[in-house]
Amino acid sequence: MSIKVLPPDLAAKIAAGEVVERPASVVKELVENSIDAGSSQITIEIKAGGVEQIKVIDDGHGIASEEVSIAFQRHATSKIRDLDDLEAVATLGFRGEALAAISSVSRLTLASNVEGEAEGWQVQVEGRDMAPSVTPAGHPRGTTVTMRDLFFNTPARRRFLRTEKTEFNHLEEVFRRIALSEFNTAFRLTHNQKVIHQLPAGLD
């Protein structure tokens, strides 16, 4: 068999597997981005174990309108500028890398606003084949990321997911680890509209 370069959309889906293994991976990446954004309150709303929907709402510094669509490109980040930054990185993740990977294998919507802007902006992406669509949207300071239909375009990977209960258990374990290490952030986790955890900031 001859050697060929993979099409960009297929390469993106394969690369996404390094970041997104299951719903718990999505929660980890999105919540870490919210923490890096200086959020004091983070809400995670889950449906069907995270396969149907994961929504992460934060009150962090948000993303400026001219940077919203750039955030979905691979290797796009506000956290590194040169090699010195890479060697001394003090953040939990790279927002662009996570969003690029997650949007490759789901239907993703991001709404955000920064302090000083009159209105927020919303971006929608559906798999890597769809160019980001940016529209004005009413949104407070901070960011809301909504992921729907995980692995809708990679059915083989979706078949490897476990039951709703099992996937949520993995997700909840990730949530607990993060929440226990971030004492200055308030967290709220719901599953199928039921509050599972409500953790105020400042817990000992």
Side-chain angles (χ1 to χ4, degrees), residues 78-106:
S78 63
K79 303 167 185 177
I80 289 179
R81 288 291 179 269
D82 53 35
L83 183 60
D84 289 340
D85 290 340
L86 181 62
E87 293 177 345
V89 65
T91 57
L92 296 173
F94 308 126
R95 188 185 292 268
E97 288 299 288
L99 293 177
I102 296 167
S103 67
S104 295
V105 291
S106 71

Side-chain angles (χ1 to χ4, degrees), residues 17 24 38 48 60 72 74-75 96 132 134 142 144 150 160 173 177 195 199:
F72 285 86
R74 294 198 66 201
H75 313 305
V134 183
T144 298
L150 183 62
F160 276 99
E173 179 61 26
R177 290 179 182 178
V195 177
L199 306 176

Side-chain angles (χ1 to χ4, degrees), residues 28 131 196:
K28 176 182 181 295
I196 307 299

Side-chain angles (χ1 to χ4, degrees), residues 78-143:
S78 63
K79 303 167 185 177
I80 289 179
R81 288 291 179 269
D82 53 35
L83 183 60
D84 289 340
D85 290 340
L86 181 62
E87 293 177 345
V89 65
T91 57
L92 296 173
F94 308 126
R95 188 185 292 268
E97 288 299 288
L99 293 177
I102 296 167
S103 67
S104 295
V105 291
S106 71
R107 296 181 171 95
L108 200 67
T109 302
L110 181 149
S112 192
N113 197 1
V114 299
E115 191 170 349
E117 287 196 351
E119 61 182 351
W121 295 83
Q122 179 173 284
V123 184
Q124 290 183 303
V125 180
E126 188 171 306
R128 291 303 295 175
D129 298 331
M130 177 180 173
S133 172
V134 183
T135 56
H139 194 280
R141 179 180 181 270
T143 302

